Amino acid sequence: MIEIGGVQYSLDDPLTLAALGGGAVILLMLLLLVLAVRAAGRAARASAPVLQHVSHLSHRVQGLSEGQERLAGGLHHVTEAQASSQTAMLELMERRLAEVQERMGESLHGSARRTARSLGELQERLQAIDKAQANITKLSGDVLSLQDILSNKQTRGAFGEIQLREIVSKALPSDAYALQATLSNGRRADCLIHMPQPPGPIVVDAKFPLEGYEALMQAEGKEMRARAAQAFRLSVRKHIRDIAARYIIEGETAEGALMFLPSEAVYAELHARFPEVVREGFEARVWIVSPTTCMATLNTLRAVLKDARMKEQAGAIRRELALLYGDVERLTGRVANLDRHFGQASRDIEEIKISADKAGRRAHRLDQFDFEEVETPNMPVLRLGDPAE
């Protein structure tokens, strides 16, 4: 479609082409060429900035290529440095790991030794604990047996008598006491100590008021404790009265007797909370003793027995001393005679030594053929070269 003189003509229309003719066609071709040149000029002017921008981009791409080459070189150096650093780090880590393994081995070995030693000590302690457990089990059985013994009144009495016998046998000589001695009133004393007059034989009787003591220890509440204390007080008072009535006999035994309590706890409770009962015992001349105080009392009685026996044996001792004095006098005379004999023998030995020395010297001269110095009494001295008579 073209416009000429304000009128638009279509090139596809045959009539238009025919009207225009050949000149018009040429003109049209020229017009198209001019239009094409103008369009090319405009396109050249429009593409100049683009070309300039493309050139700038080309320079930048070239700079990027050079930077990339430098970056590649730097990366190569960094890679080499990193590789060497990694190699050194691996070597250092290997050395450190070897040292750690060695130290760990030594530590484990030492820990194993210490563990073995600890296990050995633990085994020894377990064995000691087993032995202690066995002893505890045995002791528990003994305690149960002791409880069974103390729960029965007769066996409890036998227990006190056995303990009294052990103490008396350790404190006194065998001939100074008698166990289960029968008195003139038919009563049998647990122990009768043969003391001289005065004071005379002393009776020791074992009593064990365990029921009253256990009731007192187990009582709860003020009223129950008061009743238990009264029962315990009455029990001890009864024992004191029985001993005073049965074992203190005028003209046969001493004016007092001993009541043996085989329990330190009962003895301490009695003296701590019932001092009036102890005083009643003093008034009845019945002295209450425990295993400890009984041993001290018996040691005192032993000293008294020893003094009495020394007094009884004073005459025999004087006779023995007189005989000893005569023996010493005879021994003194015999020692003097022996000393005189030894003095004479000593003088004889000295003279024998003198004669032996002279004989030795003469024998030595004879051995050396030294006859000139040999002098024999009442005999002429023989000299070498003289004619024999």
Side-chain angles (χ1 to χ4, degrees), residues 8 28 45 56 61 90 95 144 154 161 172 176 197 205 239 253 259 266 284-285 308 325 329 333 350 356 363:
Q8 294 182 353
L28 182 59
R45 287 191 301 273
H56 181 68
V61 167
L90 287 175
R95 288 196 303 271
L144 294 175
Q154 294 180 352
E161 294 173 5
L172 299 177
Q197 293 289 349
D205 191 63
H239 290 320
T253 65
M259 185 174 77
V266 177
R285 296 184 179 181
Y325 180 74
E329 283 187 344
E350 289 296 331

Side-chain angles (χ1 to χ4, degrees), residues 1-203:
M1 181 68 68
I2 61 174
E3 182 179 357
I4 300 175
V7 180
Q8 294 182 353
Y9 296 96
S10 177
L11 297 177
D12 295 333
D13 189 3
L15 294 177
T16 303
L17 294 175
L20 291 175
V25 172
I26 294 171
L27 181 61
L28 182 59
M29 293 295 292
L30 290 174
L31 182 61
L32 290 173
L33 181 59
V34 171
L35 291 174
V37 170
R38 287 181 179 179
R42 288 196 299 272
R45 287 191 301 273
S47 62
V50 175
L51 292 176
Q52 185 178 0
H53 185 65
V54 169
S55 176
H56 181 68
L57 289 177
S58 176
H59 288 296
R60 294 191 64 182
V61 167
Q62 184 177 0
L64 289 174
S65 177
E66 294 176 355
Q68 185 177 7
E69 290 180 357
R70 290 193 298 271
L71 180 62
L75 290 175
H76 180 70
H77 291 297
V78 169
T79 303
E80 291 180 352
Q82 186 175 5
S84 61
S85 177
Q86 288 181 352
T87 303
M89 182 64 69
L90 287 175
E91 292 178 355
L92 179 61
M93 290 181 65
E94 288 178 356
R95 288 196 303 271
R96 294 290 178 84
L97 183 59
E99 293 177 359
V100 170
Q101 288 179 349
E102 184 178 359
R103 294 177 181 176
M104 185 66 71
E106 294 177 355
S107 177
L108 290 176
H109 186 64
S111 300
R113 289 198 305 270
R114 290 191 295 271
T115 303
R117 184 170 59 254
S118 300
L119 289 176
E121 295 176 355
L122 180 61
Q123 183 67 24
E124 294 177 357
R125 292 182 180 178
L126 289 176
Q127 291 177 358
I129 291 173
D130 291 338
K131 292 180 181 178
Q133 183 66 30
N135 293 332
I136 292 173
T137 303
K138 183 180 178 182
L139 182 60
S140 301
D142 295 339
V143 170
L144 294 175
S145 301
L146 181 61
Q147 290 179 351
D148 295 337
I149 291 173
L150 298 180
S151 62
N152 186 283
K153 190 172 183 179
Q154 294 180 352
T155 55
R156 186 167 65 246
F159 172 76
E161 294 173 5
I162 292 172
Q163 191 172 4
L164 176 61
R165 181 178 62 189
E166 291 295 326
I167 294 174
V168 172
S169 63
K170 291 179 180 178
L172 299 177
S174 59
D175 59 345
Y177 64 92
L179 299 175
Q180 300 299 320
T182 303
L183 303 178
S184 60
N185 58 2
R187 298 294 182 177
R188 180 173 294 179
D190 292 335
C191 179
L192 181 64
I193 302 174
H194 303 304
M195 295 296 294
Q197 293 289 349
I202 298 177
V203 174

Side-chain angles (χ1 to χ4, degrees), residues 336-366:
N337 294 332
L338 182 61
D339 183 65
R340 186 171 57 254
H341 292 313
F342 271 119
Q344 183 62 39
S346 177
R347 288 191 295 273
D348 294 339
I349 289 173
E350 289 296 331
E351 293 177 357
I352 291 172
K353 288 175 63 178
I354 294 171
S355 300
D357 290 339
K358 290 181 179 181
R361 287 194 296 271
R362 290 181 183 277
H364 179 70
R365 292 174 185 143
L366 289 173

